[in-house]
Amino acid sequence: MATQKLVAPPARAAMFLTLTVNDGSEEAVRDLLTGMSGFTRSVAFREPDEHLLCVVGIGSQLWDRLFPNLPKPRGLHPFEEIKGDKHTAVSTPGDLLIHLRSGRLDMCFELARLLGKKFEGHAEIIDEVHGFKFFDERDLLGFVDGTENPEGDRAEDAVTIGEEDAAYAGGSYVIVQKYLHDMAGWDALSVEEQEDAIGRSKLDDVEMDDDAKPANAHIKLNVIHDAEGKQLQIMRDNMPFGSVGEREFGTYFIGYAKDPSVTEHMLRNMFIGDPPGTYDRILDFSTPKTGALFFVPSVDFLDDPTPRG
Ligand code: HEM
């Protein structure tokens, strides 16, 4: 079963496109999806060292329109808003997510341009973010982001659907949120206060001792376990983005998981708190403007959409 390539070393550049599909364009879009691997090869092959990757996700409502006669992937549903006392994880529209990564932005841009032409008349691009890697793999809050991501087999295991939903084995789920930061507020904190918010040191990226980590630290709320005590993991590929003129400084959060309830559990911890009330301190300086969930089919399904297993 060929999977879309999700696990890869951090890329230098990324683009995130969210699309809604026009009524009546279902057949055209089904066809276009079967061509995605070919479109990607057309651009990637010209600069193989730049490792251009394209991942496509399908939203719940579009799934029902494209494949009304197929069983629904088990974890696929519209992203549900999470309302905490102070902060809300909003749910916003999205039929398709296209996640492009490469060593160079021009590679992402060229594929996006090609896809834009192909989808023209059939879908609208309602959100487009160009992400870049910042010094030392840091986010715009100044912290190294991605350190504790699973790697290799552990990452594959975290993101790849297996026998639990055999018809869609080799697929995955992805949740995205576009966050904007209040940089003035964040910069007004001392470095120690910022470190308390994340749960790691800023300069050298070392995790705080457990007894020193505040209950509302980002990593305290995002380290979660199953009933047997095994840590539940997702694979993140966050990217900074922004516009100096618009005073826009953001983090595009993207988390892949074989079971989206793991990411949703993390989000509940962040927005509601665990215990309730201890919401994630980074939310006082980070506001999600979007929120959506997509099923990421295997390449085999994309090329020939019939379920297996
Ligand atoms: C860890 C930043 C949103 C899940 C981290 C770390 C940073 C960070 C700096 C520590 C280094 C690392 O291990 O990567 C951010 C920023 C966000 C954001 C700036 C958005 C504004 C999210 C969201 C989730 C999440 C929405 C989950 C739904 C995690 C997880 C870890 C982590 C699982 C690793 C915890 C561990 O194993 O130590 N994040 N994050 N993050 N974040 Fe986030």
Side-chain angles (χ1 to χ4, degrees):
M1 176 66 58
T3 56
Q4 295 198 61
K5 194 160 169 50
L6 308 183
V7 179
R12 306 308 304 164
M15 281 178 68
F16 305 91
L17 305 177
T18 307
L19 293 83
T20 50
V21 170
N22 302 343
D23 284 339
S25 288
E26 290 77 12
E27 199 177 328
V29 166
R30 254 194 320 265
D31 276 358
L32 284 167
L33 291 178
T34 63
M36 291 300 285
S37 352
F39 303 142
T40 306
R41 279 193 298 276
S42 296
V43 182
F45 187 69
R46 282 143 58 186
E47 295 279 359
D49 291 345
E50 300 303 337
H51 305 289
L52 175 65
L53 297 176
C54 171
V55 175
V56 191
I58 302 174
S60 175
Q61 288 166 357
L62 181 64
W63 177 275
D64 296 341
R65 288 164 60 198
L66 294 186
F67 308 115
N69 300 320
L70 296 186
K72 200 154 178 170
R74 273 205 203 165
L76 183 57
H77 54 264
F79 181 73
E80 279 167 32
E81 176 182 288
I82 302 171
K83 211 168 167 40
D85 285 343
K86 192 138 180 237
H87 302 290
T88 301
V90 291
S91 168
T92 53
D95 284 334
L96 290 173
L97 176 78
I98 299 179
H99 177 201
L100 306 175
R101 285 174 283 181
S102 170
R104 285 191 346 222
L105 184 61
D106 61 344
M107 299 292 290
C108 302
F109 195 83
E110 173 60 3
L111 181 53
R113 189 188 64 79
L114 183 69
L115 295 175
K117 253 170 61 182
K118 295 279 178 197
F119 279 89
E120 199 171 341
H122 301 300
E124 309 301 324
I125 298 174
I126 56 164
D127 190 47
E128 171 172 346
V129 172
H130 297 201
F132 54 85
K133 270 289 180 243
F134 201 50
F135 304 96
D136 292 355
E137 306 285 332
R138 290 176 193 271
D139 51 42
L140 293 181
L141 299 178
F143 281 75
V144 177
D145 192 350
T147 314
E148 295 297 339
N149 248 340
E151 288 179 311
D153 289 349
R154 281 178 60 222
E156 297 289 355
D157 181 54
V159 301
T160 316
I161 298 170
E163 287 311 304
E164 70 278 11
D165 192 4
Y168 297 111
S172 187
Y173 295 91
V174 63
I175 289 182
V176 291
Q177 290 179 302
K178 180 167 89 171
Y179 283 89
L180 293 184
H181 298 302
D182 164 14
M183 290 309 294
W186 179 254
D187 288 342
L189 298 183
S190 66
V191 169
E192 290 72 23
E193 287 169 321
Q194 293 181 350
E195 292 178 334
D196 280 349
I198 300 289
R200 304 180 72 94
S201 62
K202 190 171 184 182
L203 181 66
D204 51 12
D205 184 32
V206 177
E207 184 178 347
M208 281 181 177
D209 289 340
D210 278 342
D211 48 7
K213 226 180 272 163
N216 63 353
H218 182 61
I219 65 168
K220 175 91 176 177
L221 293 163
N222 277 305
V223 174
I224 60 172
H225 301 91
D226 66 13
E228 281 80 51
K230 188 171 159 249
Q231 189 176 348
L232 294 168
Q233 292 199 299
I234 63 172
M235 199 197 69
R236 297 162 289 131
D237 206 348
N238 296 357
M239 281 301 229
F241 67 91
S243 159
V244 178
E246 303 287 331
R247 292 192 174 73
E248 192 179 84
F249 300 92
T251 297
Y252 200 93
F253 164 80
I254 180 161
Y256 289 98
K258 65 179 167 193
D259 177 356
S261 71
V262 174
T263 320
E264 290 167 329
H265 182 167
M266 292 174 177
L267 285 168
R268 279 196 305 280
N269 283 2
M270 285 178 67
F271 284 80
I272 293 167
D274 179 30
T278 55
Y279 71 83
D280 194 322
R281 177 74 168 131
I282 70 168
L283 297 178
D284 288 333
F285 310 94
S286 317
T287 306
K289 297 292 174 187
T290 67
L293 184 159
F294 303 87
F295 169 61
V296 177
S298 66
V299 173
D300 292 355
F301 180 89
L302 270 185
D303 290 349
D304 171 18
T306 44
R308 291 147 181 88

